[in-house]
Amino acid sequence: MHSLPKEYDFAEIERKWQQKWEELGLYRFDRKDKNRKPFTIDTPPPYPSGEFHMGNVLNWTYFDLVARYKRMQGFNVLFPQGWDCHGLSIEVQVEKQHGLRKREVPPDQFRKWCEELVEKYIALMKEGILRMGCSIDWSTEYRTMDANYWRRTQLSFILLHRKGFMYQGTHPVNWCPRCETAIADAEVDYIEREGTLHYIRFPLENSDDSLIIATTRPEFIPACVAVAVNPADSRFNTCIGQKIALPLFNRLVSIIPDEMVDSSFGTGVVMICTYGDKEDVKTVMRHKLPTLTLLTENGRISEVGGKYAGLSISKAREAILKDLSEAGLLERTEHLRQEVGVCDRCKTHVEILERKQWFMKTRALTDQVVKTADEVVWFPDYMKTRLTDWAQSLDWDWVISRQRVFATPIPVWYCKNCGKLILAKEDWVPIDPKLEQPRASKCPKCGGKEFVGERDVFDTWMDSSITCAVHAGWPDHEDWRRLFPADVHPSGIDIIRTWAYYLMVRHLALFGETPYKACLINGMVLGSDGRKMSKSLKNYVAAPEVLAKYGADATRQWAAGGGATGSDIPFRWPDVEYGRRFLVKLWNVSGFAGRLLADYRPEKTVHGGLEPLDKWVLSKAARLTLSVTDAMEKCQFNVAVEEIRNFTWHTLCDCYVEAVKDRLYRAETYGFEAKLAAQFALYEALYTVLQLLAPVIPHLTEEIYQALYAEEKECPSLQVSPWPEKSAWIDSEAEESGDIIVALISAVRREKAEKKLSLNTQIKRLTVSVEDEMVANALRSGSCDIVGACKVETLEVKVGKAAGKEVANYPNMRFTAEY
Ligand SMILES: [Zn+2]
Ligand SMILES: [Zn+2]
């Protein structure tokens, strides 16, 4: 046993153990190990964003808590780490950085820039993850932008295509005119904003009458294919079937009845345009109306817009309003609050465009998603409905093609002669159809020998929605099913509708099975003012700053203990400071133990009898083990952290150590057996604390373990020591007696403090009167620690009418101290 220095440098200790753990290979998953049960964590590969923020600290603390806890439980833990590289976000940043659009440079050059930026960002995030001391198996590291990962995404597409889940279709899709690509429902954010409602006069055919239509999008007049009214609206139902002229364009459209028209909005008469919004899409489908494509892919007005062709959407709106006003057709305008969909990457107003796209038949799986979600364990339970509600709310299938550069290519070609689709074979991938020809010599339909490669690429979620299978080793390891479904998929509340959902539909379609057995959800990190953390609100805190100032062990305590799993948790400096103070407390009590245990040879059982307080602390430690284990099983990390910290600070340090100090220091007075009993209990109780804390505070507990326990325990690291089990030390009677003894000691010490006496002040006679023989016996049995802790020369315990100062929580126990 080695003693601990008085002061410690957390940065040095943390760095040291991070390095040693890596050298020891403690976190390597051993695929060949058939003795330990595997436990697989489906670490969501993050988008490299170039910043490691407090939200990331929260995510990785959760992942790591599960990994470390399961490892101590004897599982062969797979804790992988990948990077989800592709996507609009990186492209948008590269475009900004170089001040150009993707089409202005050769794709190879653009891709290279994207890769460079991603590598830079990965390095920054990785530094943060390492600094936190996450127990990741770095030999598993992968990047979805590598061809080796493309291979998996492409293979999954080929298999799903064969199963009939993939199709091409011309269907309206969400379109970002700035990014010039289709985007999925999950990539549309909804924001509230101030809008203008324009009241425009539409003349009726063969009549001097007209109808007024209120619209926020007058630029869509040229794409109007019908005007609709509610058939129940008596103001307008006589107009149904008549024709009405589009102002400025003089094209006639029909007035149709539609029960979905809200008679109370605007004037009760609406334009149906292709496509002003999602409602238009539904109405056009219901009535089988023709479509007109008003917008081009870069958000300009097409030839459908007549003289306004070529203008941007906002310029066209201005021009049309000006012309309407000059023609006397603009009646009035009013302000309104409106909700609009914007691109979640660039915040541009999302339009709806019809273009040939690839889709996955996800809606066909909705019933299965709902059923499977029921079989998954959710932490916390109420998160399940977030997934099922989302699945059931989807109007459209998942559009999986994107018109971008930095993404996995879709492995198909088209026959130049007859247009037949050529799907890559399983062993052709990875392949880029833009650069390589299919390895088939001719078109199976017409015999043509020339092919055009698909130019569209995959949505980045196509890469990241197969991680459960990929982490398990699919398709390269024959035994991948042993590690599938993942034991837990941990993720943020904000990405349930993407990550948890896409994982579910893709794996259900591919393998007919849930991808994960459990889903662990973390909330968002809020600023100290309770609002969403953001730089503009000045409540933003950068994770590297926190880690540099207080170290990983204190920061992890904030993340684990800051709030209930799944709820949003605020970042507060005092929480991290408290974590730091706790570390100092733990260090000090361990230092004390190290000194007092210097001559102690660990025993399996104690030979002499244990004093009541020894049994008391061991029983409380055993009970703590049970409740912490239960909390960890339920992923209630905050409960676990609070209980261990309370036990350490109060039960172990304030009560037990203070009460037995004298016994440990003065064996000549109390006898060597009494000292040995205290040493035994201190040694065991502190070890329990270190073990239970090991997942949350891995570095400092390891440092203490190595100094005080490693020699005897023979585990290379506390991190792989077996998690404590239910022990024989639970003893309700001992706890009851110990509580009585501790209550008296605290009361006497409190009196000394109130009288401004030093705690070492001798008490000549301490008279305790109780009304109950059981209480008296408890006090008598613990007399050696009472006299030791309170410095009592003569202790007298009387049964009868209680007299003297009251003891908190024990109204029938009173005492008098004579100094
Ligand atoms: Zn965009
Ligand atoms: Zn052909």
Side-chain angles (χ1 to χ4, degrees), residues 29-41:
F29 170 70
D30 186 353
R31 193 172 276 276
K32 292 194 200 81
D33 185 345
K34 298 284 189 286
N35 295 322
R36 287 178 302 159
K37 263 183 83 179
F39 185 90
T40 54
I41 298 172

Side-chain angles (χ1 to χ4, degrees), residues 414-420 422 442-451:
Y414 306 94
C415 169
K416 221 172 192 171
N417 182 44
C418 74
K420 170 134 184 91
I422 313 286
K442 57 181 196 223
C443 168
K445 191 173 163 195
C446 74
K449 287 187 175 166
E450 282 186 279
F451 307 94

Side-chain angles (χ1 to χ4, degrees), residues 602-623:
E603 317 263 346
K604 288 276 177 283
T605 52
V606 69
H607 295 298
L610 289 174
E611 292 293 323
L613 281 191
D614 303 330
K615 290 184 198 159
W616 173 81
V617 78
L618 290 171
S619 181
K620 296 243 173 188
R623 225 180 267 285

